[in-house]
Amino acid sequence: MISSKKQWIGYGLLILMLVKAWVIPLVCLDYEVRKEYIAKSLCVNRDKPKLKCNGKCYLAKKLAEASEQQERQAEHDYIASLIYQVMSSSNSYLFDSNLLTPFPSVNTVNYCYQSLFKSRLLIGSIFRPPLA
């Protein structure tokens, strides 16, 4: 029973990924299927039969919207991954001054850098009694 639910969830996610990958071909398929309806009612140039648009303006508009939506989604995913990398609490960088200088010195200093956002992730810093 549980494995069949997982399979259906997996199939659903697979279908969603395929729809996302096939947005532009699906728009073209929709245009081909509804070509007559689009040419008669949705075409911007339906009043100008000399242009012989036949709904291609509608197709171009829908393709531009789909590609713009994909670009916005890609930009959103990229920004989300950058924020996740910065906000990750496991990042602690150690800088060694020996690597920066060509000559090793006797007094070496190790610098430890911790992200400024790490303190914001701690829940204990949010819930505290009010200051008087």
Side-chain angles (χ1 to χ4, degrees):
M1 181 76 171
I2 295 174
S3 65
S4 65
K5 286 183 182 179
K6 289 182 180 179
Q7 282 181 336
W8 283 109
I9 291 172
Y11 289 142
L13 292 174
L14 179 66
I15 290 171
L16 287 175
M17 287 178 15
L18 288 175
V19 167
K20 184 178 177 182
W22 287 80
V23 168
I24 292 177
L26 287 176
V27 169
C28 293
L29 179 67
D30 177 53
Y31 170 74
E32 289 297 327
V33 169
R34 301 184 320 148
K35 195 175 203 177
E36 292 177 15
Y37 170 74
I38 291 171
K40 289 180 183 177
S41 60
L42 299 177
C43 182
V44 176
N45 298 323
R46 63 180 173 261
D47 298 331
K48 303 172 187 173
K50 291 182 180 179
L51 293 178
K52 297 181 183 178
C53 179
N54 295 330
K56 291 179 185 173
C57 56
Y58 176 80
L59 175 65
K61 183 170 54 170
K62 287 295 181 183
L63 287 176
E65 288 175 7
S67 64
E68 182 180 321
Q69 181 181 6
Q70 284 182 345
E71 288 175 6
R72 277 188 274 142
Q73 184 65 34
E75 181 180 334
H76 181 274
D77 292 343
Y78 179 71
I79 290 173
S81 69
L82 285 178
I83 290 173
Y84 177 74
Q85 289 174 0
V86 170
M87 297 290 285
S88 177
S89 63
S90 63
N91 290 345
S92 180
Y93 301 103
L94 184 67
F95 297 105
D96 190 9
S97 63
N98 289 337
L99 299 175
L100 300 176
T101 60
F103 303 107
S105 62
V106 177
N107 298 329
T108 60
V109 178
N110 290 332
Y111 299 101
C112 184
Y113 170 75
Q114 207 167 20
S115 176
L116 297 174
F117 297 110
K118 186 172 183 179
S119 63
R120 295 183 185 178
L121 296 176
L122 300 175
I123 294 179
S125 65
I126 298 172
F127 301 107
R128 62 175 184 255
L131 300 173

